[in-house]
Amino acid sequence: MLRLVVLISGAGSNLRSLLETSQDAEFPARVVAVGADRVAEGFDHAEQFGIPTFSVALSSFADRDAWGDEILAQIESWQPDLVILSGFMKLLPPRVVATLSPNLINTHPAYLPEFPGAHGVRDAIEAGVTETGATVIVVDNGVDSGPIIVQERISIVHGDTEATLHERIKPVERRLLIQAVLDIANATIDLKELS
Ligand code: GRF
């Protein structure tokens, strides 16, 4: 049974999808804790499923490395096999990435390496392209630049706003994330080989 720690910053709809899927006894992974850089709205999902949460605010620390060390300590206290960033809107310091990766993956609402960064959905619309996508990657020290685990194309339709497009991307992200966790748990994907 793969032990998962999920880091979020916002609504946590991808987290909820993992929590719901974990209810299936056949699913070979369980969320053991949910962390965030704030008291995130998505903690409500964790609480509904009885999953412990922790928040580590950057503003409470002298610098990013000290903040990262505390997040790492919180994560490691749950002895995860895999850490998932899903809507976590901060870059983890190099020490954290070096310790956790490649067992550290991230979902991104674009077809990487297209449109990396915090505004991938908006950037795709502003670029005037007719398709974007969703991607699950291994986190490295870049911005959404790690090895790609799985990705899928999604069309941009005329009149799409950032909100309508993102709401169409998220279900695909959730499906890809669940599949990635399944493949990692079943050793169909070897993260060390990918990296
Ligand atoms: C997701 O699209 C994720 O890829 C991006 O932010 C969104 C988070 O959505 N980084 P939610 O918090 O899971 O609803």
Side-chain angles (χ1 to χ4, degrees):
M1 185 62 70
L2 211 64
R3 292 171 60 84
L4 309 175
V5 167
V6 182
L7 297 187
I8 63 171
S9 291
S13 65
N14 284 350
L15 163 67
R16 181 164 192 99
S17 172
L18 269 174
L19 292 168
E20 289 169 347
T21 306
S22 298
Q23 297 298 299
D24 174 353
E26 299 298 307
F27 189 67
R30 289 291 178 272
V31 178
V32 296
V34 177
D37 56 317
R38 68 199 70 182
V39 179
E41 183 193 337
F43 279 1
D44 292 349
H45 301 311
E47 281 146 26
Q48 277 177 34
F49 284 80
I51 306 296
T53 61
F54 60 89
S55 63
V56 184
L58 177 57
S59 56
S60 306
F61 293 84
D63 57 42
R64 291 183 69 84
D65 282 338
W67 170 73
D69 289 347
E70 176 58 23
I71 286 193
L72 182 57
Q74 296 268 355
I75 289 170
E76 292 193 309
S77 71
W78 295 101
Q79 298 174 311
D81 301 301
L82 180 66
V83 179
I84 299 171
L85 308 183
S86 194
F88 186 67
M89 299 310 278
K90 291 270 191 324
L91 279 181
L92 291 170
R95 217 174 4 232
V96 181
V97 175
T99 305
L100 296 178
S101 202
N103 299 308
L104 176 64
I105 67 175
N106 181 33
T107 61
H108 185 73
Y111 199 83
L112 292 172
E114 300 164 4
F115 310 118
H119 305 290
V121 179
R122 183 191 69 190
D123 294 346
I125 289 181
E126 289 181 355
V129 294
T130 57
E131 58 178 15
T132 182
T135 305
V136 181
I137 57 168
V138 177
V139 176
D140 66 5
N141 279 312
V143 178
D144 300 319
S145 56
I148 290 170
I149 297 173
V150 61
Q151 62 184 167
E152 187 172 306
R153 280 286 184 195
I154 296 159
S155 297
I156 297 178
V157 301
H158 181 65
D160 252 337
T161 63
E162 182 179 355
T164 60
L165 178 54
H166 206 166
E167 283 318 301
R168 209 163 58 247
I169 291 172
K170 282 186 178 182
V172 176
E173 274 187 278
R174 291 172 206 146
R175 176 166 44 80
L176 296 182
L177 178 59
I178 298 295
Q179 189 57 52
V181 171
L182 199 57
D183 289 346
I184 292 162
N186 296 335
T188 308
I189 289 175
D190 179 340
L191 292 175
K192 287 179 176 48
E193 259 180 29
L194 266 181
S195 304

